[in-house]
Amino acid sequence: DAKTTQPPSMDCAEGRAANLPCNHSTISGNEYVYWYRQIHSQGPQYIIHGLKNNETNEMASLIITEDRKSSTLILPHATLRDTAVYYCIVSDLYNQGGKLIFGQGTELSVKP
Amino acid sequence: DAGVTQSPTHLIKTRGQQVTLRCSPKSGHDTVSWYQQALGQGPQFIFQYYEEEERQRGNFPDRFSGHQFPNYSSELNVNALLLGDSALYLCASSLAETGRQETQYFGPGTRLLVL
């Protein structure tokens, strides 16, 4: 079973920041938080991952709370092309092998 | 830089048949993982291959088998197809590095329909 909880759906206005929450209260010390997104009928696209510090790349920012029990993915200026299902995954891909456990994700709709 | 590629893109089979799906990893990657995604669900891990051996396996029956070749490409074989095997089959590649997280990058998938 997935170790994360996400809202099933969210809306965001084009050009505004999209903030996608994720709860992972049972995360263990070596587990990272990964975010992927999947645009309809395509393969999942890697976005970002982090352990305990906040992370930023060209796609998004990842904010992890100090107790590591929750995180937020931020798309700073959402566009229509960001409409997708966003998956938050907790995993230790080094020590636990290559198993990503996907939940249901959050369906983000970016509206004009 | 070529990403992960999969073939074929679509496939139609009938119950009881066998199917082989193929995956070429991203350049520089040596590890291949396979996932099954049923309609409306998140992907489910089938197994992972590294150094031509199955490294880890998910909760899938023995009808699902795989292979990794010396050039790191991989095949997924499914025998005795069932209607429930209809799904998008995803391949993901990564690089095994000591002490580092092996971030996985996915291909576009093969959509299998079993009639």
Side-chain angles (χ1 to χ4, degrees):
Chain A
D1 289 345
K3 299 176 68 172
T4 61
T5 304
Q6 300 177 252
S9 64
M10 292 181 62
D11 290 339
C12 178
E14 188 177 20
R16 304 296 294 268
N19 296 283
L20 291 91
C22 180
N23 287 321
H24 31 79
S25 58
T26 61
I27 191 170
S28 65
N30 294 326
E31 289 181 321
Y32 283 66
V33 180
Y34 284 83
W35 283 85
Y36 283 80
R37 73 180 182 184
Q38 188 172 26
I39 297 169
H40 184 63
S41 294
Q42 299 181 19
Q45 178 187 22
Y46 166 76
I47 302 174
I48 198 167
H49 74 280
L51 183 62
K52 50 186 170 183
N53 297 321
N54 298 337
E55 302 287 344
T56 295
N57 62 20
E58 64 279 4
M59 289 183 67
S61 295
L62 173 60
I63 308 299
I64 303 174
T65 58
E66 193 170 342
D67 64 7
R68 302 209 321 125
K69 293 184 176 182
S70 66
S71 61
T72 301
L73 179 75
I74 301 172
L75 307 178
H77 306 287
T79 70
L80 299 180
R81 289 180 297 177
D82 293 321
T83 293
V85 177
Y86 287 76
Y87 295 100
C88 169
I89 301 166
V90 162
S91 185
D92 177 3
L93 290 182
Y94 176 66
N95 291 304
Q96 297 174 7
K99 192 174 185 177
L100 288 170
I101 301 176
F102 288 78
Q104 296 295 326
T106 294
E107 187 166 5
L108 175 68
S109 295
V110 180
K111 300 182 183 301
Chain B
D1 179 21
V4 180
T5 60
Q6 293 186 242
S7 63
T9 56
H10 295 81
L11 204 51
I12 300 175
K13 292 287 188 179
T14 56
R15 280 179 299 173
Q17 285 190 311
Q18 177 263 344
V19 68
T20 298
L21 311 181
R22 295 176 175 82
C23 172
S24 291
K26 182 178 167 66
S27 177
H29 285 184
D30 58 7
T31 303
V32 173
S33 304
W34 287 93
Y35 292 80
Q36 180 196 65
Q37 186 173 24
L39 202 60
Q41 305 294 318
Q44 286 197 323
F45 178 79
I46 303 175
F47 43 53
Q48 184 183 76
Y49 276 83
Y50 171 65
E51 292 188 336
E52 302 181 45
E53 292 192 356
E54 186 180 289
R55 183 182 180 189
Q56 187 172 185
R57 189 179 183 92
N59 189 25
F60 279 81
D62 292 344
R63 298 187 297 110
F64 290 78
S65 63
H67 188 76
Q68 186 179 34
F69 299 93
N71 67 353
Y72 308 121
S73 67
S74 176
E75 288 182 350
L76 164 66
N77 300 293
V78 186
N79 293 323
L81 284 167
L82 304 174
L83 296 180
D85 295 331
S86 294
L88 180 67
Y89 288 85
L90 295 159
C91 167
S93 75
S94 55
L95 175 64
E97 294 183 278
T98 302
R100 292 180 64 87
Q101 293 289 300
E102 301 171 18
T103 301
Q104 296 183 13
Y105 296 86
F106 286 80
T110 293
R111 187 162 297 281
L112 172 65
L113 177 62
V114 182
L115 301 176

